[in-house]
Amino acid sequence: PFYCNPFILLARARIFADPLTVTAGVFAPMGRALPEDGHWRVRGCWGWGSGTRNAHWIFAGCLLMDGPPDAEGRPTPRRLPNGQPDVTMMILPAKDVIFHDTWQAMGLCGTGSGDFEVRDLLIPHDHAVSLFSSPVLRPGAGWIGRRRLAALQDDMVHRSSASRMPENCQRAAGGKKLR
């Protein structure tokens, strides 16, 4: 739904203008987004961000906090007709993301993985798409179904890792020359 959703067609043109653009992210809705003047103000911390350090754009699962206020006047998540929260993917520029070095698995530093965070990042409205409620254009060229999103994320990780492998290996080698 990301790539063929009418709300993000313009964003798609900006994000993927370069065919070598690398994306990565986390679908789990660990972030919160509040509406603000036609934008979303996003904050959150996501774990297990596979390939995020190597990406140009980060996909981050969020709850849109524009539902009716609770008894104390605090914002609540937008809900689907079945009562479940409407999980929305935010498309964040990697240059605005804070990366935390939490990936200490032996031999996997080249994956560029770890936790990441944003604090009050203002993003355009068209950089958000619901995984469940955003309208989707008729399937056709470039269409990707909801069931294939997990496979897409795996692909993003592999492309991300491969694209930065030489410099990640050099860094891991402590400045030694690669042969």
Side-chain angles (χ1 to χ4, degrees), residues 1-2 12 16 19-20 26 28 30-31 40 62 64 67 83 97 99 104 107 121 126 146 153 156 159 163 171 176:
F2 295 126
R12 181 178 69 180
F16 294 102
L20 298 178
V26 175
M30 304 306 294
W40 292 105
C62 286
L64 301 181
V97 172
F99 295 101
Q104 305 298 325
L121 179 62
D126 66 349
R146 288 183 172 98
Q153 185 176 14
M156 292 187 297
R159 282 188 59 194
S163 70
R171 188 177 32 141
K176 296 177 185 173

Side-chain angles (χ1 to χ4, degrees), residues 2 24 36 44 61 76 92 121 124 150 154 159:
F2 295 126
E36 184 176 312
T76 62
L92 314 172
L121 179 62
D154 287 345
R159 282 188 59 194

Side-chain angles (χ1 to χ4, degrees), residues 12-23 56-57 155 159 163:
R12 181 178 69 180
R14 286 191 307 269
I15 292 166
F16 294 102
D18 179 351
L20 298 178
T21 295
V22 175
T23 62
H56 302 101
W57 294 91
D155 180 59
R159 282 188 59 194
S163 70

Side-chain angles (χ1 to χ4, degrees), residues 32-43 57 90-93 95-96 118-125 127:
R32 302 294 181 265
L34 291 162
E36 184 176 312
D37 299 326
H39 291 76
W40 292 105
R41 183 157 305 275
V42 180
R43 67 175 60 124
W57 294 91
M90 298 294 174
I91 306 167
L92 314 172
K95 66 179 179 55
D96 296 329
V118 293
R119 301 175 187 155
D120 295 321
L121 179 62
L122 199 62
I123 65 162
H125 193 265
H127 281 227

Side-chain angles (χ1 to χ4, degrees), residues 25-144:
V26 175
F27 293 118
M30 304 306 294
R32 302 294 181 265
L34 291 162
E36 184 176 312
D37 299 326
H39 291 76
W40 292 105
R41 183 157 305 275
V42 180
R43 67 175 60 124
C45 188
W46 294 262
W48 299 85
S50 297
T52 52
R53 284 185 183 262
N54 301 329
H56 302 101
W57 294 91
I58 309 292
F59 291 95
C62 286
L63 296 178
L64 301 181
M65 304 302 287
D66 62 351
D70 67 11
E72 282 114 35
R74 295 178 299 217
T76 62
R78 180 185 295 180
R79 302 253 175 212
L80 298 169
N82 67 4
Q84 295 298 313
D86 190 6
V87 178
T88 301
M89 196 58 83
M90 298 294 174
I91 306 167
L92 314 172
K95 66 179 179 55
D96 296 329
V97 172
I98 302 162
F99 295 101
H100 300 290
D101 187 15
T102 56
W103 190 257
Q104 305 298 325
M106 184 185 309
L108 296 177
C109 72
T111 66
S113 303
D115 296 356
F116 64 93
E117 171 181 14
V118 293
R119 301 175 187 155
D120 295 321
L121 179 62
L122 199 62
I123 65 162
H125 193 265
D126 66 349
H127 281 227
V129 61
S130 169
L131 294 180
F132 304 108
S133 66
S134 291
V136 177
L137 297 176
R138 180 181 307 270
W143 183 76
I144 187 162

Side-chain angles (χ1 to χ4, degrees), residues 160-175:
S160 170
S161 298
S163 70
R164 302 283 169 91
M165 189 170 291
E167 62 254 36
N168 286 336
C169 289
Q170 185 74 34
R171 188 177 32 141

